[in-house]
């Protein structure tokens, strides 16, 4: 798919209140509110990307656009940022969430278990029950996707893809035994140091540093992840890292396309 075609694909940025935390969601495709769509126009399938750690949705925009084109632009592709990994700009409206009567307070929402509950709350309140789900987890997002299947079997998930997942019981590995306690201590040092250095730093300088970093990494995104250098957003990724422990097999992109198409066709041809 050439760059001109990618640019024509609409991507809508939205900040929703989920689990009591403002959450960035990037929605690829013309559908932004599935509940307000008429049943005739409502897509039968929603593809949800659960990112790795740190979970910045803007990094997944090219991937989401490629998936949207792969499905002949028939199904939306949404990417949800992890709780606490992104803050809404001051001029950005935060969309309130529909109340879930079964919802419970999420404890330690920035830890791994809290991030799982955060994604469950989003799927239950932002996706109609009749819309089928196809989950794509990357790295620690693979573990979150597996836990969604385990904790919420009532969700209409037709398939889950696990991309480059982290290893099982990472904290029990030789390096993990050393790194885990260090990270527990280092997150407080990082927060204090980041606050003292980054809080007074002008936004223009932060923007310049982020652009230079993306250029060095050869990454292009239409949504500049300014939150990377926000003091508050430095700690949640570390909190998630400390509790990471997952398992799965790796699915490469060529075979991923091969496996994805049958499920898309199944939804297109099946009853609504």
């Amino acid at each position: 798919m050439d760059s001109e075609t990618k640019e024509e694909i609409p991507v809508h940025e939205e900040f929703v209140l989920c689990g009591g935390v403002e959450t960035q969601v990037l929605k690829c495709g013309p559908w932004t509110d599935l509940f307000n769509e008429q049943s005739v126009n409502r897509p039968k399938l929603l593809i949800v990307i659960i990112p790795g750690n740190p979970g910045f949705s803007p990094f997944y925009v090219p991937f989401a656009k490629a998936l949207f084109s792969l499905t002949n632009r028939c199904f939306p592709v949404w990417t949800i940022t992890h709780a606490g990994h992104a803050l809404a700009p001051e001029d950005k409206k935060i969309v309130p969430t529909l109340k879930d009567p079964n919802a419970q307070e999420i404890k330690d929402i920035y830890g791994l278990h809290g991030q799982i509950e955060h994604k469950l709350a989003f799927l239950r309140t932002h996706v109609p029950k009749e819309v089928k789900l196809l989950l794509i987890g990357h790295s620690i997002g693979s573990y979150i996707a597996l836990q969604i299947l385990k904790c919420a079997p009532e969700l209409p998930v037709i398939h889950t893809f696990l991309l480059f997942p982290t290893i099982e019981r990472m904290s029990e590995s030789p390096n993990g035994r050393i790194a885990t306690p260090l990270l527990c201590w280092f997150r407080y040092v990082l927060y204090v140091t980041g606050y003292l250095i980054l809080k007074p730093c002008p936004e223009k300088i932060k923007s310049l540093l982020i652009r230079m970093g993306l250029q060095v990494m050869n990454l292009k995104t239409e949504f500049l992840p300014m939150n990377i250098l926000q003091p508050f957003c430095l700690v949640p990724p570390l909190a998630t890292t400390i509790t990471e422990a997952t398992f799965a097999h790796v699915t490469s992109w060529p075979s991923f396309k091969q496996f994805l198409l049958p499920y898309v066709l199944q939804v297109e041809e099946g009853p609504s």
Side-chain angles (χ1 to χ4, degrees), residues 31 42-45 68-69 71-76 264 268:
W31 305 275
R42 182 183 296 159
K44 300 177 182 179
L45 173 72
F68 186 62
S69 294
T71 63
N72 296 322
R73 306 192 178 200
C74 295
F75 305 116
V264 172
E268 283 185 318

Side-chain angles (χ1 to χ4, degrees), residues 106-117:
I106 301 176
K107 298 180 180 179
D108 189 21
I109 194 171
Y110 305 124
L112 181 55
H113 179 72
Q115 296 290 2
I116 296 168
E117 294 296 325

